[in-house]
Amino acid sequence: MAETVTMPKLGFDMAEGTLIRWVIAEGEAVNKGAILAEIETDKATVEVESVYDGILARHLVAEGDIVPVNTPIAIVAAPGEKVEKQPQLVTDQAAPTPKSAAEAEPISAPSQAPSEPTVVEGQLPEGVKASPLARRMAEERGIPLRSISGSGPGGRITKKDVEAYKAVQAAPTQPQVAFQAGLPSIPSTTIPLKRLRAIIGRRMTEAKQSVPHFYVTHEYDMAALLALRQQVNLTLPDEEKTSVNDFILKASALTLREFPNLNASLDDNNNQIIQHGAVNIGVAVAVEGGLLTVVCRDADRKPIRQISAEVRQMVQRAREGKVRPDDIEGSTFSVSNMGMYDVEHFIAIINPPEAAILAVGSAREVPVVKDGEVVPGLRMKATLSVDHRVSDGAEGARFMQTLARYIEEPIRLLL
């Protein structure tokens, strides 16, 4: 029996997707779990897997079509099964129906050719008005009257206008700028806005305008965590070494277990808070043309080494444009880390429907006061952005204090 494959809904707010490429052609065999096509959502390019075995009997949409979710895109049939031809999905808007002859706009008659200009007192051909004195002064000084703006009645050019024009022309010009040798000028360039960047702009604008953000910043002592990471990495091969971000993800996940109100979201009607049981940490990843979030599921229950391996694999797939649906869906809290770019401090915009996001800066060696003396210290700033409809400043501050317990006593992350 023939089965219909539909455009999947990959996220609570996904309304449509663009079918980028058919991986399996019409008439080819397909197995359950095989990649049928690649689609572009508002977050990334995703591979769509088949949930049926059989023959891909028909493509119902073409490459490049924008298709609403749950719309049929293909038919998978049993070998030898006949499938009735179905019309291809039409995604373009219908062209407007032309007006009938009776409704057509009337065609106006061509206007008559302009008559030859006439010269009248105080007016030159082609409609330039000027006083006799102004005309004589302009002629003597070689000034085209059309270059002068008239200040008299009806735009009439007067003696004062000619004198003012001459004064402007006589003003010294700006000195020529001496440019540095060897540095050519750079022309302006117009770059088309990529789909991912446009969608990021739309979503972040909506989030910033509709979600009442508040922010809490805390500075953390990173000496113990960096020392522990160094010890851990001495036992691991190069391809498995952990990053500072892996420890921060684990610390954030454990902290969220104590603050379920921040591992939450509002329902569609914005009248109930849904506290999620699973702690799924979204990790912001810079990709070509934009930013997307990969999701480390159940991060509170996984060891740091596993978190590191999973995130590394998802980041690689994201940058290769080969993310899977599970890679980018289902986050309950996000972490955006710009420490590798030597950023001291920044704030992040909440990724709806999540209630909060943590923005992490770089660990820096700075002077600190310890026991009354100024000594070198390793410090890192992080800022929590919170939806004020879900939580408040006191809870946000307590979250950051609890996070400090895990970051500054990192042995807790290994227990």
Side-chain angles (χ1 to χ4, degrees), residues 233-390:
N233 283 347
L234 288 175
T235 68
L236 298 175
D238 289 344
E239 65 273 12
E240 295 182 18
K241 293 189 185 299
T242 61
S243 68
V244 172
N245 199 51
D246 299 328
F247 286 81
I248 293 172
L249 295 179
K250 178 68 174 182
S252 300
L254 291 175
T255 304
L256 286 168
R257 289 182 67 95
E258 302 182 41
F259 292 86
N261 212 38
L262 296 181
N263 189 53
S265 60
L266 286 173
D267 67 2
D268 293 339
N269 297 321
N270 292 337
N271 56 19
Q272 292 185 21
I273 297 174
I274 303 171
Q275 294 183 345
H276 302 288
V279 180
N280 300 334
I281 304 293
V283 184
V285 181
V287 297
E288 183 180 359
L291 184 79
L292 59 84
T293 301
V294 298
V295 183
C296 182
R297 301 177 185 280
D298 299 309
D300 55 323
R301 300 192 292 152
K302 292 176 179 175
I304 291 176
R305 187 176 181 181
Q306 184 177 354
I307 291 173
S308 180
E310 290 183 2
V311 171
R312 186 184 304 111
Q313 292 168 5
M314 289 188 289
V315 169
Q316 181 177 351
R317 287 196 293 269
R319 289 178 175 160
E320 293 174 351
K322 297 180 179 179
V323 294
R324 302 167 182 169
D326 285 349
D327 289 350
I328 58 175
E329 297 300 331
S331 58
T332 59
F333 180 92
S334 290
V335 173
S336 181
N337 190 336
M338 296 182 68
M340 67 289 293
Y341 300 113
D342 196 27
V343 172
E344 178 183 7
H345 164 255
F346 74 105
I347 60 175
I349 300 174
I350 296 170
N351 185 25
E354 297 167 20
I357 184 171
L358 184 70
V360 180
S362 59
R364 294 167 170 253
E365 189 172 25
V366 296
V368 297
V369 177
K370 188 173 182 180
D371 299 327
E373 296 183 355
V374 178
V375 296
L378 288 167
R379 296 291 187 269
M380 179 193 78
K381 290 181 181 179
T383 299
L384 182 70
S385 305
V386 185
D387 186 340
H388 219 324
R389 298 170 299 177
V390 176

Side-chain angles (χ1 to χ4, degrees), residues 97-234:
T97 304
K99 292 183 178 181
S100 65
E103 295 174 333
E105 295 291 339
I107 301 175
S108 58
S111 58
Q112 295 182 351
S115 58
E116 291 293 325
T118 57
V119 179
V120 296
E121 177 63 27
Q123 180 174 329
L124 291 181
E126 300 181 353
V128 179
K129 297 179 180 179
S131 68
L133 178 58
R135 279 185 287 161
R136 186 171 65 253
M137 291 175 61
E139 183 179 356
E140 291 172 353
R141 302 179 186 189
I143 302 174
L145 279 173
R146 282 195 171 277
S147 303
I148 305 174
S149 298
S151 61
R156 182 185 178 92
I157 298 171
T158 65
K159 172 187 174 183
K160 179 179 64 175
D161 299 324
V162 178
E163 292 174 341
Y165 179 87
K166 189 65 177 179
V168 170
Q169 294 299 107
T173 59
Q174 292 292 330
Q176 185 174 1
V177 178
F179 293 105
Q180 183 175 347
L183 293 177
S185 61
I186 300 175
S188 299
T189 305
T190 300
I191 302 174
L193 193 64
K194 292 188 176 181
R195 177 178 168 83
L196 178 58
R197 175 62 63 192
I199 292 171
I200 290 171
R202 173 178 58 80
R203 286 173 55 84
M204 293 298 97
T205 299
E206 291 173 355
K208 191 68 174 176
Q209 291 177 343
S210 63
V211 177
H213 289 57
F214 73 85
Y215 312 99
V216 180
T217 300
H218 192 99
E219 187 173 70
Y220 297 92
D221 185 344
M222 295 293 288
L225 189 149
L226 294 176
L228 178 61
R229 173 184 173 245
Q230 184 178 29
Q231 287 183 306
V232 169
N233 283 347
L234 288 175

